[in-house]
Amino acid sequence: MTITAQMVKELRDSTGAGMMDAKKALTEVNGDMEAAVDWLRTKGLAKAAKKADRVAAEGLVGVAVVGGKGVAVEVNSETDFVGKNADFQALVRGITTAALNAADLEALKAADLGGKPVETALNETIAVIGENMTLRRMASIEGDSVASYVHNAAADALGRIGVLVALKGADNGIGKQIAMHIAASNPLSLNEAAMDASVLERELAVQTQKALEENAASAKPKPEAVIQNNIIPGRMKKFLEEVTLVNQKFVVNPDITVAQAATEAGVEILGFVRMAVGEGIEKEKEDFAAEVAKMTQG
């Protein structure tokens, strides 16, 4: 497979690796981007890919909480300018409120919004604003209490990142602090049990390969048992401390974990939702020369 300059640039942008290292990684794995990230990490040349950079969609996330239930909704637009439009903001706010009584995304599209289905209201707003829009997803969460936080707010309860935190026990203010922590730290899961097994398997494979290669290159190699029983488990423990919410250092007080902060406040974290505009949508790429050529061809 031909390794293009664009592929090398994408890998460099997502990992911080050098140009020659990125090119070598892609060559070694025949152009597989995820495998190239893992290859760089086993060599100690990169951290995990910054997937949050791989976005193209604009729009807003809306959050709403009533009693012990909270919902988050993402509505995409073509440009970030639309996020400042009052009609678009009103639409997203209305859809978010309707989501409080919707079981899933399809039910939300059919839910009532001002006497018409949400999907119809969305299409009418598209006609007025003149830009394509998509109701992309929704998520809900429940607990004794639910706290919310919106980062980069465009208006009340509307912004680029929306967070919900469900608690067991009465929220005395700790909920919003934890929600702000989640917005900043972007944990992968609540705890190890809630993490996607494939993520753990992939990380274990990377850490195992890295430990074995480092040990093989060491002037004083450690016994195999030490690598398997101490080094690798230690690195996995550190990984989980970095990516699971309850084990992360609390941004408000880094001397304690988020779980300890919750316990001190008399609550238990049941779950969370973190929704950022456009996350997971691959950016469409086209080199400048190809774009100019397309334009000249009419």
Side-chain angles (χ1 to χ4, degrees), residues 79-123:
T79 65
D80 60 354
F81 179 77
V82 171
K84 303 168 187 175
N85 181 287
D87 290 335
F88 182 67
Q89 290 180 0
L91 173 71
V92 178
R93 184 173 285 110
I95 292 174
T96 305
T97 300
L100 284 164
N101 297 308
D104 53 32
L105 189 62
E106 290 308 309
L108 176 57
K109 290 178 180 179
D112 179 77
L113 181 58
K116 63 191 72 172
V118 163
E119 195 161 31
T120 300
L122 180 67
N123 290 332

Side-chain angles (χ1 to χ4, degrees), residues 36-104:
V37 172
D38 288 348
W39 188 92
L40 287 168
R41 293 185 63 212
T42 62
K43 308 300 180 185
L45 298 172
K47 295 183 177 180
K50 299 176 290 185
K51 293 184 183 295
D53 292 339
R54 296 161 53 185
V55 300
E58 300 297 338
L60 289 172
V61 169
V63 298
V65 175
V66 173
K69 182 175 182 179
V71 294
V73 170
E74 178 185 4
V75 183
N76 294 136
S77 59
E78 292 181 50
T79 65
D80 60 354
F81 179 77
V82 171
K84 303 168 187 175
N85 181 287
D87 290 335
F88 182 67
Q89 290 180 0
L91 173 71
V92 178
R93 184 173 285 110
I95 292 174
T96 305
T97 300
L100 284 164
N101 297 308
D104 53 32

